[in-house]
Amino acid sequence: MATRTEAQEKQSAGSAQANPFQAIVMMAGGVVLPRCLHAAADLGVADALGEEEQKTSDQLAASVGAHPDALFRVLRVLSSNGIFEMTGRKVRHSPASRLLRSDHPHSLRSLARMFGLPGCWNAFNEFGYSVRTGIPAGTKTLPKGLWRYFQENPEAGRIFNEAMVGKAQVQVPAVVAAYDFSRFGTIADIGGGRGHLLQAALEANRSVHGVLFDLPNVIQDAGAVASDRLNLQAGDFFKDALPTADVYTIMEVIHDWPDEESVAIFKAIRKAAKPGATLLVIEQLIPEDKAPHWAKMLDIHMLTLPGGKQRTEEEYGELLRRSGFALERVHPTRSDVSIIEAKAA
């Protein structure tokens, strides 16, 4: 899901002060906006619009199998928020709606659909439970857990995997461009999924070798990425020994976990790491200001579903200190993630 610009955030804050009634009703009834986005993404409206200069909402409705007036009303809401452009009933693409196309190189269609999946959306029906207890509402709506939900529902799992790939297509090049991996001999990517980050780092640094560490089923699925420079190691970072490396990367894994489990993961890495080894924690940081920010909203998703949290730079520094690492610096990237660099003490 696209993040809001700084100008939009300032405008939103100013509007709330200028018209508090409007601020409350827009937020209280604001469930309409994401549901319209989910519906448009599910139906493939952006694909149906294609590269043509414009189509009418009725033409699009016929293409995607929607009720003409209902789709017009959905698109009217979306276009007033920057997704599609409308003049009367004529619809054009906006920069944001192009990202909903399945064939866009940085497509976010599956990411938008993922947030609307029943397993994700229904947890918010029990959101009050999370606020009262600090326990994820997903424990009530998904007794087997979010990851088991994706395993047992193949279509949902496919959408989730596509969402992660789409996000990685933006984030991974930004990480590789922002950090110099060439000075290391071996990179160990912990919880690295199908190896998108590790493959990109090795491609950009031809003298470096890598180890991809993840759960056995994930490593099995990632088998095709193995090479003479990229080894695969299956295991559970809560139970099994991690590989020895010069630098460890862990990208958008820690935010899935509460503090104590996060410390346990960091300690497992520290146990495998030699003194002076580098750890790169790649996450979206919560900024130390009062302005609206996507990371603050994502933090509520983490609270509600897996029970993790987004954190500030200071909070990561404390977790790392408790685990035997010292935070050295934070590297911003051109995407929404930052690289938190730490050294094994």
Side-chain angles (χ1 to χ4, degrees), residues 2-341:
T3 57
R4 304 178 71 191
T5 66
E6 183 177 349
Q8 286 173 319
E9 290 171 351
K10 289 181 178 178
Q11 181 180 11
S12 177
S15 298
Q17 293 176 3
N19 191 335
F21 173 83
Q22 188 75 357
I24 292 296
V25 297
M26 287 290 285
M27 193 175 296
V31 66
V32 166
L33 184 56
R35 292 312 266 171
C36 286
L37 179 62
H38 301 155
D42 281 337
L43 289 168
V45 175
D47 288 348
L49 184 54
E51 282 296 338
E52 292 191 29
E53 183 177 352
Q54 65 181 20
K55 288 185 179 180
T56 67
S57 57
D58 286 4
Q59 288 173 319
L60 291 172
S63 296
V64 302
H67 185 278
D69 188 58
L71 184 61
F72 162 72
R73 292 154 72 181
V74 165
L75 293 174
R76 180 169 59 189
V77 168
L78 291 175
S79 65
S80 67
N81 285 273
I83 301 170
F84 299 104
E85 295 176 359
M86 291 188 72
T87 303
R89 289 182 177 262
K90 296 178 180 178
V91 185
R92 295 184 178 88
H93 270 303
S94 67
S97 68
R98 288 187 185 280
L99 293 177
L100 295 177
R101 289 187 55 168
S102 301
D103 60 357
H104 193 285
H106 297 149
S107 176
L108 294 179
R109 181 189 177 195
S110 290
L111 186 71
R113 297 183 72 192
M114 179 193 73
F115 282 109
L117 288 170
C120 298
W121 186 262
N122 290 347
F124 281 91
N125 292 331
E126 300 287 347
F127 180 60
Y129 176 76
S130 290
V131 178
R132 289 190 299 271
T133 67
I135 299 171
T139 58
K140 299 189 73 173
T141 59
L142 296 172
K144 295 181 180 180
L146 182 63
W147 311 123
R148 182 63 66 87
Y149 165 75
F150 288 130
Q151 291 173 7
E152 294 182 351
N153 294 269
E155 177 64 8
R158 181 187 67 80
I159 291 171
F160 172 78
N161 289 333
E162 288 180 357
M164 296 302 101
V165 170
K167 190 157 61 70
Q169 288 174 339
V170 175
Q171 294 172 335
V172 165
V175 170
V176 173
Y179 193 82
D180 179 16
F181 288 93
S182 65
R183 55 199 174 93
F184 301 109
T186 303
I187 305 169
D189 192 7
I190 307 303
R194 294 191 167 123
H196 296 101
L197 173 60
L198 187 54
Q199 289 181 85
L202 298 184
E203 179 64 28
N205 301 275
R206 304 299 296 181
S207 64
V208 181
H209 289 71
V211 182
L212 178 65
F213 181 93
D214 214 312
L215 294 168
N217 64 301
V218 178
I219 291 299
Q220 183 177 357
D221 290 342
V225 308
S227 70
D228 58 347
R229 293 175 53 224
L230 198 164
N231 296 325
L232 306 180
Q233 182 174 333
D236 181 335
F237 46 48
F238 290 117
K239 300 176 182 177
D240 301 314
L242 302 185
T244 300
D246 302 303
V247 59
Y248 295 83
T249 56
I250 185 162
M251 182 171 177
E252 293 202 311
V253 170
I254 298 300
H255 76 160
D256 288 334
W257 300 96
D259 287 352
E260 294 310 311
E261 286 84 350
S262 297
V263 168
I265 297 168
F266 284 151
K267 283 184 174 180
I269 297 173
R270 179 61 189 91
K271 184 176 180 180
K274 297 177 182 179
T278 298
L279 169 62
L280 304 178
V281 183
I282 303 161
E283 294 280 358
Q284 296 185 49
L285 292 176
I286 293 183
E288 299 277 10
D289 61 37
K290 297 180 181 179
H293 194 279
W294 167 239
K296 297 176 183 177
M297 296 185 68
L298 182 57
D299 181 51
I300 302 303
H301 285 278
M302 306 315 293
L303 166 66
T304 308
L305 284 160
K309 64 188 298 187
Q310 301 300 126
R311 296 173 173 92
T312 63
E313 177 182 338
E314 181 179 353
E315 288 172 325
Y316 271 110
E318 176 60 18
L319 293 182
L320 289 164
R321 184 196 63 75
R322 291 174 55 192
S323 309
F325 288 95
L327 191 156
E328 295 215 325
R329 62 185 65 87
V330 173
H331 305 265
T333 75
R334 61 176 183 245
S335 75
D336 55 352
V337 295
S338 297
I339 305 168
I340 306 157
E341 183 176 6

